């Protein structure tokens, strides 16, 4: 890699030469010098660019297995999977109106690992239907509940789950915070409501970094894919529009082929039988990769490596309407 002081010196010289060239005309000596110098810098950067490493595909064995059930003591609002305690295995983290609950999946068994409660000021006008969010930010989980003004920042310390109040609003993706409409179960303008946002980072088939963002508006899931440079900056490369899906959804490269999958629930009424469908974006949406129906509603979907084998699993939380007990299912 080019040393920082040398790079700054060269770039500064290029700026000075370019300014002189503009003053003296495009075809004079300084303009040619600036072009030659820029070409040389481009060649150096290109020659020393990090080598891309394509992802190694895996073939998921799609099979729904019930892992167990857990009483959360309140409705499930949001779910995610991340290795927050750095033991090499991802845990589940569930958000309810009152708490964030850590759930272990060791040996394919469900076990509660700890709970931390929201604190601070209660929302002056809470939404009739409670809703929540959860996202990873700089090594901490940031959760929000529509019942509280402030977020909750969650970590592990000394083997214990701990938390402290955070900012107002809701962190939906790293660096992206939304403000919930007062007394409503969505973000933004009621004329164009946003009901949920998910983001993921992955590699394309050649190994280039991708940033994938999905947002749910009514029953329309809008997904945008951007290819990112190795030194920063992303450019949009694809957009997808999926219709008639529910509020539980997730985005991930489940089979590691460099193409993102959308894992979506149905858009039926609460209490109706529900289903999960796994769809490769840009593929056959009607057929999909996998589909599983449930008698209860799908309240949350998470993707993570719960057994530490390097391959992520899709986890679904299913509950009956109004119930606080959820059944956790592994789908691959």
């Amino acid at each position: 890699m080019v040393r920082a002081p040398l790079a700054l010196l060269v770039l500064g010289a290029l700026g000075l030469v370019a300014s002189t060239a503009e003053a003296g005309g495009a075809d004079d000596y300084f303009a040619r010098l600036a072009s030659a110098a820029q070409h040389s810098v481009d060649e150096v950067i290109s020659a020393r660019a990090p080598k891309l490493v394509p992802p190694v595909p895996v073939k998921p064995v799609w099979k729904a297995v019930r892992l167990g059930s857990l009483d959360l003591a309140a409705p499930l609002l949001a779910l995610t999977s991340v290795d927050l305690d750095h033991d090499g295995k991802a845990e589940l983290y569930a958000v309810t109106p009152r708490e964030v609950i850590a759930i272990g999946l060791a040996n394919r068994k469900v076990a509660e690992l700890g709970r931390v409660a929201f604190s601070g000021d209660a929302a002056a006008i809470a939404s009739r239907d409670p809703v929540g969010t959860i996202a990873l930010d700089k090594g901490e989980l940031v959760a929000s509940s529509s019942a509280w003004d402030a977020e909750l920042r969650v970590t592990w310390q000394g083997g214990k789950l701990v938390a402290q109040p955070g900012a107002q609003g809701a962190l939906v993706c790293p660096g992206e915070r939304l403000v919930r409409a007062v007394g409503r179960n969505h973000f933004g303008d009621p004329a164009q409501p946003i009901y949920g946002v998910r983001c993921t980072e992955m590699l394309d088939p050649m190994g280039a970094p991708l940033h994938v963002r999905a947002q749910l508006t009514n029953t329309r899931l809008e997904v945008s894919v951007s290819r990112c440079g190795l030194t920063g900056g992303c450019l949009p490369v694809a957009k997808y529009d999926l219709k008639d899906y529910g509020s539980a959804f997730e985005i991930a490269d489940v089979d590691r082929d460099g193409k993102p999958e959308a894992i979506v629930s149905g858009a039926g009424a609460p209490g109706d039988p529900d289903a999960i469908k796994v769809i490769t974006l840009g593929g056959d949406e009607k057929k999909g990769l996998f589909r599983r129906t449930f008698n209860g509603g799908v309240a949350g979907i998470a993707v993570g490596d719960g057994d530490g084998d390097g391959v992520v699993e899709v986890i679904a939380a299913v509950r009956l309407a109004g119930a606080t007990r959820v059944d956790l299912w592994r789908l691959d």
Side-chain angles (χ1 to χ4, degrees), residues 32 97 126 146 245 264:
R32 295 193 300 272
S146 58
Y245 294 110
V264 294

Side-chain angles (χ1 to χ4, degrees), residues 47-217:
R48 295 174 178 266
K51 183 179 180 180
L52 298 179
V53 180
V56 179
V58 297
K59 189 173 180 60
V61 179
W62 295 104
K63 181 181 179 181
V65 177
R66 184 178 177 275
L67 301 176
S69 63
L70 191 68
D71 192 348
L72 305 179
L76 176 63
L77 306 183
L79 187 71
T80 194
S81 179
V82 63
D83 181 15
L84 192 62
D85 61 2
H86 306 295
D87 67 348
K89 299 178 181 180
E91 311 85 48
L92 288 179
Y93 293 88
V95 180
T96 75
R98 299 192 296 264
E99 298 172 306
V100 175
I101 304 167
I103 305 168
L105 300 174
N107 301 318
R108 299 186 179 182
K109 294 182 179 180
V110 174
E112 182 178 321
L113 303 177
R115 298 182 181 224
V116 287
F118 284 93
S119 59
D121 295 330
I125 304 177
S127 58
R128 182 180 63 181
D129 299 320
V131 289
T133 63
I134 189 165
L136 187 65
D137 179 49
K138 299 177 182 178
E140 294 181 322
L141 275 181
V142 183
S144 76
S145 164
S146 58
W148 300 87
D149 279 344
E151 298 171 326
L152 196 66
R153 303 190 71 92
V154 182
T155 57
W156 287 91
Q157 291 182 12
K160 183 179 180 180
L161 194 67
V162 298
Q164 61 181 0
Q168 292 187 342
L171 186 78
V172 293
C173 293
E176 181 180 0
R177 188 180 299 278
L178 299 180
V179 177
R180 189 174 287 110
V182 177
R184 308 297 293 272
N185 64 345
H186 62 76
F187 302 101
D189 188 341
Q192 296 179 320
I194 298 174
Y195 289 94
V197 177
R198 304 285 187 276
C199 295
T200 190
E201 311 296 329
M202 54 174 283
L203 301 177
D204 74 2
M206 299 302 294
L210 293 180
H211 174 74
V212 188
R213 181 186 183 277
Q215 71 172 27
L216 182 69
T217 59

Side-chain angles (χ1 to χ4, degrees), residues 182-258:
V182 177
R184 308 297 293 272
N185 64 345
H186 62 76
F187 302 101
D189 188 341
Q192 296 179 320
I194 298 174
Y195 289 94
V197 177
R198 304 285 187 276
C199 295
T200 190
E201 311 296 329
M202 54 174 283
L203 301 177
D204 74 2
M206 299 302 294
L210 293 180
H211 174 74
V212 188
R213 181 186 183 277
Q215 71 172 27
L216 182 69
T217 59
N218 293 325
T219 55
R220 183 187 300 268
L221 187 63
E222 302 170 352
V223 185
S224 60
V225 181
S226 299
R227 181 175 289 110
C228 304
L230 297 176
T231 57
C234 299
L235 295 175
V237 294
K239 286 188 177 182
Y240 303 93
D241 193 355
L242 308 179
K243 298 179 181 179
D244 300 322
Y245 294 110
S247 58
F249 67 94
E250 189 56 274
I251 302 292
D253 184 11
V254 179
D255 52 11
R256 295 199 309 199
D257 64 351

Side-chain angles (χ1 to χ4, degrees), residues 255-325:
D255 52 11
R256 295 199 309 199
D257 64 351
K259 302 175 183 178
E261 278 82 44
I263 305 101
V264 294
S265 59
D272 288 352
D274 206 346
I276 278 187
K277 192 173 184 179
V278 183
I279 305 164
T280 297
L281 296 176
D284 188 340
E285 182 181 347
K286 291 185 178 181
K287 182 179 180 181
L289 297 179
F290 175 78
R291 188 177 187 277
R292 177 63 157 83
T293 58
F294 298 95
N295 290 328
V298 178
I301 299 172
V303 178
D305 181 10
D307 52 16
D309 65 354
V311 180
V312 298
E313 300 92 37
V314 178
I315 304 295
V318 180
R319 72 174 182 210
L320 298 176
T324 61
R325 178 173 292 275

